[in-house]
Amino acid sequence: MTETDLREAVARELPGVIDDLTRLVAIRSISAMPDHDADVRASAEAVAQLLREASCPDVQILSADGGKPAVVGRYPAPEGKPTVTLYAHHDVQPMGDEELWTSDPFTVSERDGRLYARGVADDKAGVAVHLAVLRAFGGKPPVGVTVFVEGEEESGSPTMGAFLDEHADLVRADAFVICDSANWTVGSPAFTTTLRGLADVVVEVRTLDHALHSGQYGGVVPDAVTTLCKLLGTLWDDDGSVAVEGLTVDDVADLDYPEDRLREETGLLDGVGFIGRGSLVERMWAQPTITVIGLDATPVARASNTLAPSARAKVSMRLAPGQDADAALAALKKHLSEHAPFGAQVSFGEEGAAGGTNVPFEGAVTDAAFAALSESFGTEPVFIGQGGSIPLAADLRARFPEMDLLVTGVVDPDTRMHGIDESLSVADFEKAILGEALWISKLAERP
Ligand SMILES: [Zn+2]
């Protein structure tokens, strides 16, 4: 198909694909909430049915032991042509406080060129991009295509390793596209070339063997909550950069992230400053960061004049793309043990660690993708990092080092993924579909 044919085909398929995206969004496939297991199953079945309707000859719903259902659809490669795997995920984040949404989170609503709903971008739009491309080719893509749609990404992909152990041959390809990342801005496409890692641990501080009257003994023995706060305070330097020894920093693309844009995107309040040091993209993509994401202490409503004997916090780190995640977790625990104020007892509970990755962008397959997105968006893609993590990328790099990996997406700075009023730019959605279709047709033309 020529570029003009593909443009017309994508424009023709767009309304139908948006209708199907709307139906997928209505299924509350929240993988982190066991109450929604049946929805996650229904969502997988809906994706499988859409693939069958797009003439996919081999559609399976698969899961590793204890895992959520993934969908794998395979179009065999025409003689002499390569195979690509197109990945997205059909599960979504919880909707948060439903009252805060401008429109119902599971009913797509269009306002000013954007579609609003939970999962309409992250990542049911990824599913819809792949589906639209297959429809644009009339269900007969000119290369082999495997569509791989995961069902547990938003709960941390707990069984992805086991799934890949069992089904490596199904998803292995010449090139693998993860359509679950971001563009640089609306109208400006991007390839993600670095992803940070993630590690977290629950830390408990104990200072007393029972609670005490704060008037009687306050001032001579430490309470656990204040002691925990002092300990957590040692994780940051005065400027908010991390103060834990053993965490590494990577190099990052030299890209100017305007301060105004970041203020606007984050809703930083008047008078509140940025934290950390180095360029903004270094801080977001290449340096480690530490955040206290949960605290167990007496709630304010039940507060009494008491010295608490114990308190807990969940501490989460984002890691430089090249950092060994287990080493980083060990460094954090060492720091917490060694900085305990007043000799307080420190112990650790549940923990997790997953490395980040660098995604090399070189060779004919990635060059074709660069050209394809340049044509569909009318401007050259930007190479970006992501402060977030896609553990699948690191896993694929380790298992299939020879496979070309492309990390793309339809999210933009206004998307608010995981947040209230998540949204998708319809114009960029169409450009992303055309870009993927053009890339596939370029791969088919290669000798
Ligand atoms: Zn996602």
Side-chain angles (χ1 to χ4, degrees):
M1 284 170 92
T2 65
E3 182 183 336
T4 312
D5 291 342
L6 273 179
R7 268 181 201 281
E8 283 172 13
V10 169
R12 188 185 63 233
E13 297 297 340
L14 189 69
V17 168
I18 289 177
D19 287 347
D20 289 325
L21 174 59
T22 302
R23 280 188 276 273
L24 287 179
V25 160
I27 306 171
R28 304 178 177 216
S29 51
I30 304 168
S31 59
M33 297 169 79
D35 282 5
H36 286 280
D37 276 356
D39 292 323
V40 176
R41 162 63 52 181
S43 168
E45 275 160 11
V47 170
Q49 182 58 25
L50 288 168
L51 282 170
R52 280 184 217 109
E53 287 166 13
S55 310
C56 185
D58 171 15
V59 182
Q60 304 179 64
I61 296 179
L62 298 166
S63 52
D65 196 18
K68 310 275 187 213
V71 184
V72 180
R74 304 212 299 165
Y75 298 76
E79 179 78 25
K81 301 299 180 188
T83 294
V84 301
T85 295
L86 308 176
Y87 165 92
H89 60 86
H90 67 85
D91 63 318
V92 299
Q93 283 279 317
M95 74 289 235
D97 187 348
E98 205 165 340
E99 300 283 292
L100 298 177
W101 283 75
T102 305
S103 51
D104 180 71
F106 295 99
T107 307
V108 169
S109 138
E110 181 164 6
R111 301 192 284 280
D112 299 326
R114 299 186 73 90
L115 305 178
Y116 288 82
R118 167 59 79 234
V120 73
D122 179 17
D123 187 27
K124 287 176 175 172
V127 180
V129 164
H130 303 325
L131 192 68
V133 167
L134 292 161
R135 288 184 185 170
F137 285 115
K140 290 194 181 64
V143 300
V145 173
T146 301
V147 181
F148 173 26
V149 184
E150 187 190 355
E152 57 180 36
E153 200 275 344
E154 298 294 3
S155 46
S157 304
T159 69
M160 178 57 87
F163 187 93
L164 291 176
D165 286 343
E166 279 174 54
H167 302 297
D169 289 340
L170 276 185
V171 300
R172 185 204 316 259
D174 297 292
F176 194 109
V177 179
I178 296 180
C179 186
D180 188 27
S181 188
N183 286 323
W184 176 230
T185 58
V186 174
S188 174
F191 290 104
T192 298
T193 56
T194 65
L195 292 153
R196 284 200 291 194
L198 180 64
D200 54 49
V201 67
V202 173
V203 57
E204 176 162 22
V205 163
R206 300 178 57 83
T207 54
L208 301 163
D209 73 1
H210 62 284
L212 294 173
H213 188 293
S214 66
Q216 194 174 8
Y217 297 109
V220 289
V221 296
D223 73 281
V225 177
T226 314
T227 302
L228 175 63
C229 291
K230 264 181 87 72
L231 174 58
L232 297 175
T234 68
L235 295 170
W236 282 8
D237 279 339
D238 286 346
D239 64 4
S241 51
V242 299
V244 173
E245 248 177 74
L247 301 183
T248 61
V249 172
D250 283 5
D251 289 331
V252 71
D254 181 23
L255 204 56
D256 180 43
Y257 206 107
E259 247 185 68
D260 292 352
R261 172 178 156 187
L262 197 58
R263 268 194 178 274
E264 173 75 29
E265 272 171 41
T266 56
L268 197 62
L269 297 178
D270 284 346
V272 181
F274 292 111
I275 60 168
R277 48 183 172 255
S279 78
L280 292 173
V281 295
E282 274 166 10
R283 287 181 241 179
M284 289 190 288
W285 300 342
Q287 294 183 12
T289 181
I290 298 182
T291 310
V292 177
I293 59 170
L295 275 175
D296 285 345
T298 313
V300 170
R302 294 216 310 270
S304 62
N305 288 317
T306 302
L307 305 176
S310 70
R312 302 197 308 163
K314 184 166 186 177
V315 180
S316 165
M317 296 189 293
R318 299 288 178 165
L319 307 171
Q323 165 108 56
D324 179 287
D326 293 322
L329 185 58
L332 173 64
K333 288 161 74 174
K334 181 167 185 276
H335 177 102
L336 290 167
S337 298
E338 290 178 357
H339 288 76
F342 321 116
Q345 294 178 7
V346 171
S347 58
F348 300 102
E350 205 178 317
E351 62 184 41
T357 190
N358 289 293
V359 184
F361 197 90
E362 55 200 13
V365 168
T366 49
D367 287 351
F370 190 90
L373 280 194
S374 301
E375 285 165 35
S376 71
F377 279 79
T379 181
E380 287 195 347
V382 177
F383 294 105
I384 61 170
Q386 281 296 323
S389 312
I390 306 180
L392 173 65
D395 205 341
L396 292 172
R397 290 275 303 135
R399 276 168 204 267
F400 312 121
E402 74 296 342
M403 185 169 73
D404 282 299
L405 180 60
L406 288 165
V407 183
T408 65
V410 288
V411 164
D412 62 60
D414 296 329
T415 292
R416 303 197 174 185
M417 65 175 163
H418 297 193
I420 302 295
D421 286 349
E422 175 179 346
S423 70
L424 171 75
S425 155
V426 177
D428 280 6
F429 177 57
E430 180 170 4
K431 289 172 187 164
I433 296 165
L434 179 61
E436 191 169 284
L438 287 169
W439 174 63
I440 284 178
S441 98
K442 284 175 197 298
L443 293 185
E445 284 157 18
R446 289 181 61 228

